Amino acid sequence: MDLALSETQQMILETARRFAETELAPIAHKTDKSGEFPRKQVQQLADLGFLGIAVDEKWGGAGLDNVSYAMAMEEISAGCASTGVIMSVNNSLVCDPIGKFGNDFQKKKWLVPLAQGKVLGCFALSEPGSGSDAAGMRTTAILDGDHYVINGTKNWITSGKEADVCILIAHSDPSERHKGISAFIVDRRETPYGIGKIEDKMGIKGSSTTSLVFEDVRVPAANRLGNEGDGFKVAMSTLDGGRIGIAAQALGIARAAFQEALAYSRERQAFGKYIGDFGAIQEMLADMATEIDAARLLIWRAAVAKDNKEKFGKLSAMAKLYAAEMSQRVTNKALQIHGGYGYVKEYNAERHVRDARITEIYEGTSEIQRLVIARETLQEIAALG
Amino acid sequence: MDFSLSDRERQVQELARGIARTRLAAGATAADAGAFPLSNMQALGAAGLLGIKSDPAFGGLGAGNVAYCVAIRELASVCASTAVTVAVTNMVGDMVALYGTAAQKQRWLLPLCRGDLIAGSFALSEAGAGSDAASLRTRAEKVDGGYRLNGSKMWITSGDVAGLVLVLAKTDASKGSRGISAFLVGKGTPGFEVGRHEEKMGLRGSSTVSLSFADCFVREDARLGPEGGGFEVAMVALDGGRCGIGAQAIGMGDAALRATCAHMERRKQSDRALGTDQSKAFRIADMATRLDAAWLMVLRACALRDAGKKAARECAMAKVFGSEAANFVCQEALQIAGSAALAQDHPVARAFRDVRVSRIYEGTSEIQRLVIARSLSAPR
């Protein structure tokens, strides 16, 4: 049992925190209002190596561990949650599957520029009619000679507007469910596809969320990630890792909300004393601090298991479930502590509530996390006898 | 970063698990009916589990805080009444080890760890002083050759069976918390009487009594630590105790979760037919997640203490989060088990009754939140 940070981890933490404080926090409010993609800040993330943190140095990444990734995600998201999700998707949902399932040709061609942040990636699994039930997707990729012909629409795609490289999950054999699914790398510069509706969202407004439209898009067979029929496995194992990133995002949002509420409780006076000296406010702050710590430990545990190449699906599901729900409680308490100021856009409190909300939904809803956790828990306890 | 247990910690876990399964399990129902688990204490003493952190030279295991909490969790998952008796005994031993003279250690620590004293007891609370320890009223008046104790204590775990009671009393009424001293009082000391035996909701195998001291004379060498140092002894004991209560509560949560999983296995078919299987599965997920989070909080606090670092906030967090998570788990388990669990001797009913006090004793949840909130002003 040793929860101390290594020198490298400490350095990443400090770098990320400094960057978030100086470059992200000042633009978060404006980004939320305008809904503009934080282009300059994403470029700065690339320069810091934060777009491919856990990618091998050989493939253009920073070669760091997943604990460092989780710590950086927390800090970046505390500064600006929109920037956080852009970073999480590029790392977890794009670089990670290419690193794990890609061949050297694919790694050289796409992983290197993705990890270096020269191009941005997106991950296309959900559709208008299928989300949690991934096997119910309708997009097809039918082999025709040495190309796959892709048809269908993908929905809720983070960074869909800006991304040039798309990890696409589609049915290569529509007669099968899970077993008929394959994964592809689709390069929009070479094989253009359409960008459909750009969603107007409640929160994380600086990251784009779009639909992608594929109409007879012919993708070279060499772009298939893993074997034919491996797509479901690629998608699920990718989401296992993605959950660590989103959990850390939820944690970062909650921590920012908590710190602002703590500071506010020491400035604002009522009935002749600081509101932070009232028992009711103290209890709220104590619970917020405690829950934040619990979420961080669950996240770090999942990240360590991933680094150690142990099974971590249940652990990342627990981390995401707890962190996302914690983030709702903490951001709402932070808003409450601010009183009327919490409800107006002059302060950040209401933005944190809106930004936190999605973490319970994307990359596996809380309900899906519970299914994963319950199934594994029942199996584990039955095995103990 | 490493979340795994060391070999030594795993050994202690195996040791505790073995005794829990063979010995504690057999007597858990009787303990719940009110029988003090005397033979358990002797077996645990022989194994070194009454002095988990104490020096092996004094009959302990010489392990750390992580190992201690791992062991308490194992014991509590089988017989919570035994676990709390063990926890308090360990706490008293730890204080003797930390503040005692060589002679005090020789006289008290060795028999305490070996189980010869049956149990150790910690007498701080009074009718009018619980969370606010500084306001206690038991007095220790300096007299020739020692002190004369007068006053009474309440809610004292193992106060009737313990061969050794660590008593906190005021040596200087004018000095508030700085006027408190700690004393080691042996069972049977003249003037020391056991009073009312509380009928409790849970932990019924652990005895909870009031104690009274009427001109109870103890020698100078019964004082643990310096005069006026009693408040520190109490606070250090409780700080360490807090992680242990967290671990204990989690152990009771384990018992409830195990029973719930077994229930679901038995009821698979009918739950599916009724459509209640998913509602139950979701509750299992919440229970398992909260217990895991709570355990990580306990482990973090223990690891910091083992590394010699300050961890007052982390211990408070481990206690409040652990006890509340475990209460949540037992409550959900009771709901899932339904009317069957309303029978007194149902394992979930027992866990539900046993776990409730974890939010109260050794510092209520409210006190833990206060400790945490106050610590937030200090820079990290």
Side-chain angles (χ1 to χ4, degrees):
Chain A
M1 189 66 45
D2 176 15
L3 305 185
L5 304 185
S6 70
E7 261 179 50
T8 314
Q9 288 166 343
Q10 188 65 40
M11 196 188 74
I12 295 298
L13 177 70
E14 281 162 20
T15 305
R17 184 169 291 172
R18 203 164 41 240
F19 175 69
E21 283 168 2
T22 56
E23 302 294 329
L24 295 178
I27 60 116
H29 192 76
K30 202 177 76 198
T31 301
D32 174 63
K33 207 157 201 173
S34 68
E36 261 175 52
F37 184 81
R39 197 166 298 282
K40 179 182 152 209
Q41 289 71 24
V42 171
Q43 184 52 52
Q44 288 172 314
L45 284 182
D47 298 341
L48 288 169
F50 282 6
L51 291 183
I53 292 188
V55 175
D56 205 319
E57 283 169 287
K58 183 171 137 194
W59 302 113
L64 298 169
D65 57 16
N66 283 286
V67 175
S68 301
Y69 170 53
M71 288 187 325
M73 268 303 299
E74 177 185 338
E75 298 303 326
I76 298 303
S77 304
C80 171
S82 296
T83 309
V85 71
I86 297 163
M87 170 172 158
S88 178
V89 166
N90 201 71
N91 275 278
S92 287
L93 302 191
V94 183
C95 288
D96 215 37
I98 302 178
K100 188 167 171 191
F101 297 98
N103 55 39
D104 282 3
F105 159 73
Q106 292 167 336
K107 287 181 187 171
K108 194 164 169 222
K109 181 164 179 189
W110 288 293
L111 184 54
V112 171
L114 280 164
Q116 290 172 341
K118 290 187 175 141
V119 293
L120 203 62
C122 68
F123 178 79
L125 172 66
S126 290
E127 299 187 0
S130 73
S132 298
D133 176 20
M137 68 173 65
R138 303 181 65 169
T139 299
T140 53
I142 305 300
L143 190 62
D144 175 24
D146 53 3
H147 282 75
Y148 284 91
V149 183
I150 301 180
N151 278 289
T153 301
K154 291 291 181 181
N155 240 26
W156 322 118
I157 309 307
T158 300
S159 304
K161 186 165 159 240
E162 296 80 14
D164 279 329
V165 176
C166 172
I167 304 292
L168 175 79
I169 314 291
H171 269 295
S172 50
D173 181 355
S175 67
E176 293 265 11
R177 266 178 67 87
H178 302 85
K179 289 178 190 161
I181 294 174
S182 300
F184 303 89
I185 304 170
V186 185
D187 191 323
R188 180 148 67 123
R189 298 163 299 186
E190 294 173 356
T191 55
Y193 51 80
I195 307 296
K197 185 177 166 198
I198 296 172
E199 306 289 348
D200 184 6
K201 304 190 298 297
M202 174 182 181
I204 53 164
K205 292 169 83 84
S207 107
S208 71
T209 303
T210 70
S211 62
L212 306 182
V213 183
F214 296 86
E215 284 172 354
D216 289 330
V217 176
R218 292 180 67 85
V219 173
N223 290 27
R224 197 187 62 230
L225 194 56
N227 294 320
E228 199 165 285
D230 278 354
F232 192 75
K233 188 176 81 186
V234 171
M236 292 304 120
S237 95
T238 300
L239 289 175
D240 277 350
R243 281 163 193 160
I244 295 174
I246 298 306
Q249 185 201 22
L251 170 64
I253 296 168
R255 206 196 72 206
F258 164 70
Q259 285 175 327
E260 287 161 13
L262 179 64
Y264 184 79
S265 77
R266 302 219 165 108
E267 294 160 18
R268 169 77 183 200
Q269 293 198 347
F271 306 104
K273 57 181 181 179
Y274 291 109
I275 61 168
D277 291 331
F278 286 103
I281 304 292
Q282 288 188 333
E283 288 218 337
M284 281 197 232
L285 291 167
D287 282 337
M288 291 157 86
T290 303
E291 287 210 61
I292 284 170
D293 277 14
R296 188 180 292 115
L297 289 168
L298 285 169
I299 292 166
W300 284 0
R301 178 180 68 160
V304 167
K306 185 169 195 270
D307 283 330
N308 291 346
K309 310 257 185 286
E310 293 160 6
K311 254 184 84 175
F312 71 97
K314 184 188 81 169
L315 305 187
S316 68
M318 283 183 165
K320 178 170 186 283
L321 172 64
Y322 186 81
E325 296 197 343
M326 171 281 291
S327 197
Q328 315 306 313
R329 292 188 288 269
V330 167
T331 54
N332 272 291
K333 280 180 185 155
L335 189 154
Q336 188 69 19
I337 289 171
H338 280 82
Y341 290 103
Y343 198 66
V344 296
K345 300 211 168 194
E346 186 188 335
Y347 280 71
N348 292 327
E350 63 86 32
R351 171 166 58 85
H352 295 316
V353 171
R354 287 185 289 108
D355 283 346
R357 190 61 184 82
I358 186 62
T359 61
E360 279 191 293
I361 299 172
Y362 61 16
E363 301 201 25
T365 60
S366 290
E367 290 68 35
I368 290 294
Q369 310 307 330
R370 286 193 169 87
L371 287 181
V372 170
I373 297 162
R375 190 174 57 226
E376 296 211 20
T377 301
L378 284 162
Q379 281 168 0
E380 281 167 19
I381 291 188
L384 289 175
Chain B
M1 195 169 292
D2 180 10
F3 284 86
S4 61
L5 298 179
S6 68
D7 288 347
R8 177 73 178 130
E9 287 154 0
R10 238 184 279 273
Q11 271 173 6
V12 174
Q13 181 177 42
E14 287 304 318
L15 182 65
R17 187 176 287 171
I19 296 183
R21 287 194 178 161
T22 52
R23 206 173 256 273
L24 271 58
T29 306
D32 186 44
F36 181 81
L38 182 63
S39 69
N40 288 349
M41 295 305 287
Q42 287 158 342
L44 290 161
L49 288 162
L50 297 184
I52 296 169
K53 291 185 271 175
S54 292
D55 193 328
F58 293 104
L61 293 177
N65 287 288
V66 170
Y68 171 71
C69 281
V70 163
I72 291 293
R73 179 180 179 175
E74 291 293 335
L75 300 179
S77 77
V78 176
C79 178
S81 290
T82 302
V84 63
T85 312
V86 170
V88 176
T89 304
N90 270 278
M91 179 166 96
V92 171
D94 290 345
M95 291 309 104
V96 176
L98 196 58
Y99 293 100
T101 61
Q104 285 173 326
K105 287 186 213 173
Q106 203 58 46
R107 173 158 180 215
W108 296 114
L109 191 53
L110 187 68
L112 187 69
C113 291
R114 280 203 312 227
D116 298 346
L117 298 177
I118 301 171
S121 179
F122 182 78
L124 171 65
S125 288
E126 300 181 358
S131 296
D132 177 18
S135 68
L136 54 87
R137 301 183 65 171
T138 298
R139 300 182 316 277
E141 187 194 347
K142 188 95 174 74
V143 293
D144 200 24
Y147 297 86
R148 201 160 27 224
L149 304 184
N150 278 290
S152 53
K153 297 285 180 182
M154 264 188 109
W155 324 118
I156 308 305
T157 302
S158 307
D160 55 342
V161 289
L164 170 64
V165 184
L166 198 166
V167 181
L168 282 307
K170 279 243 162 103
T171 38
D172 185 343
S174 68
K175 281 190 179 162
S177 63
R178 288 169 191 276
I180 299 173
S181 302
F183 298 92
L184 300 171
V185 183
K187 187 182 170 81
T189 304
F192 163 32
E193 298 285 344
V194 174
R196 188 182 134 108
H197 191 112
E198 303 291 345
E199 273 289 329
K200 301 192 301 298
M201 170 186 184
L203 298 180
R204 296 174 58 84
S206 136
S207 70
T208 305
V209 297
S210 63
L211 303 179
S212 66
F213 300 91
D215 286 336
C216 171
F217 175 78
V218 293
R219 283 187 356 205
E220 177 92 39
D221 65 5
R223 200 188 63 235
L224 184 68
E227 202 167 276
F231 190 71
E232 183 192 317
V233 173
M235 291 304 115
V236 169
L238 290 177
D239 246 9
R242 278 170 187 159
C243 294
I245 303 297
Q248 205 183 92
I250 292 165
M252 300 178 216
D254 289 338
L257 179 60
R258 279 201 302 258
T260 307
C261 288
H263 162 96
M264 282 185 61
E265 192 58 39
R266 282 195 306 275
R267 295 284 302 264
K268 221 185 237 172
Q269 299 301 331
S270 58
D271 281 346
R272 215 165 276 166
L274 283 169
T276 53
D277 53 334
Q278 192 163 67
S279 140
K280 289 184 180 178
F282 274 33
R283 285 176 176 191
I284 291 273
D286 285 332
M287 292 157 80
T289 302
R290 294 271 282 268
L291 281 183
D292 272 20
W295 183 234
L296 292 172
M297 295 290 262
V298 168
L299 289 177
R300 174 182 67 163
C302 290
L304 283 171
R305 287 169 62 86
D306 283 340
K309 299 205 170 103
K310 283 206 165 139
R313 176 200 296 178
E314 287 80 1
C315 286
M317 284 182 168
K319 204 248 170 195
V320 66
F321 194 92
S323 60
E324 296 197 347
N327 270 270
F328 164 81
V329 166
C330 292
Q331 184 138 351
E332 292 293 277
L334 194 77
Q335 187 65 25
I336 293 175
S339 45
L342 295 179
Q344 279 290 82
D345 59 350
H346 191 282
V348 171
R350 173 153 64 84
F352 179 82
R353 288 184 287 103
D354 285 346
V355 81
R356 185 59 183 85
V357 75
S358 63
R359 287 169 55 196
I360 299 173
Y361 64 12
E362 299 203 23
T364 60
S365 287
E366 291 67 32
I367 289 295
Q368 308 308 327
R369 290 194 168 89
L370 209 61
V371 170
I372 297 162
R374 284 179 182 159
S375 79
L376 295 175
S377 56
R380 280 202 79 102

